[in-house]
Amino acid sequence: MKELRIGAAAQVSEVVLHTNTAAAMGSGSLDVYATPALVALMEKAACALVDPCLDPDTTSVGISLSISHDAPTAVGRMVTAKAVLVGVDGRKLSFKVTASDDHGIIGQGSHERFLVKKEKFMAKLAAKYDG
């Protein structure tokens, strides 16, 4: 595994489409960028930071996310989420996450992920339902 450095950052972007609006995702009735889509984009930014550093048998899973969705974004606009690594405690990774559109910040908060061995994690999942 490559070293995960405090202050490392990654960002990802997506266009607001009718499929990721609050109305389409069932999180509201308006055709604006949905909070569940914002959450997913923030997690995707954290994964974009972590994934290149991991061995093939390791992945990360989200364990917490606390955000505010501060401003709406219209269909057709671009949203960019950024994750900055702010803490490493053993296998627990902590991030500051933000999202913005062309008019500024639309959401912000904190996110935590945990490093796991893929095979062991999936074995625990299987055992949960076998037993």
Side-chain angles (χ1 to χ4, degrees), residues 60-104:
S60 68
V61 293
I63 60 170
S64 73
L65 185 66
S66 177
I67 66 155
S68 60
H69 192 166
D70 304 318
T73 303
V75 171
R77 298 295 192 165
M78 181 75 67
V79 175
T80 299
K82 181 178 180 181
V84 178
L85 186 64
V86 296
V88 177
D89 183 10
R91 295 187 296 147
K92 185 171 78 170
L93 309 174
S94 301
F95 303 87
K96 176 184 176 189
V97 289
T98 56
S100 59
D101 62 18
D102 56 337
H103 289 282

Side-chain angles (χ1 to χ4, degrees), residues 27-84:
S27 65
S29 59
L30 301 176
D31 284 325
V32 296
Y33 194 55
T35 301
L38 177 65
V39 165
L41 195 64
M42 288 174 161
E43 282 203 84
K44 187 175 181 181
C47 289
L49 191 161
V50 173
D51 288 352
C53 298
L54 301 180
D55 296 331
D57 66 336
T58 304
T59 191
S60 68
V61 293
I63 60 170
S64 73
L65 185 66
S66 177
I67 66 155
S68 60
H69 192 166
D70 304 318
T73 303
V75 171
R77 298 295 192 165
M78 181 75 67
V79 175
T80 299
K82 181 178 180 181
V84 178

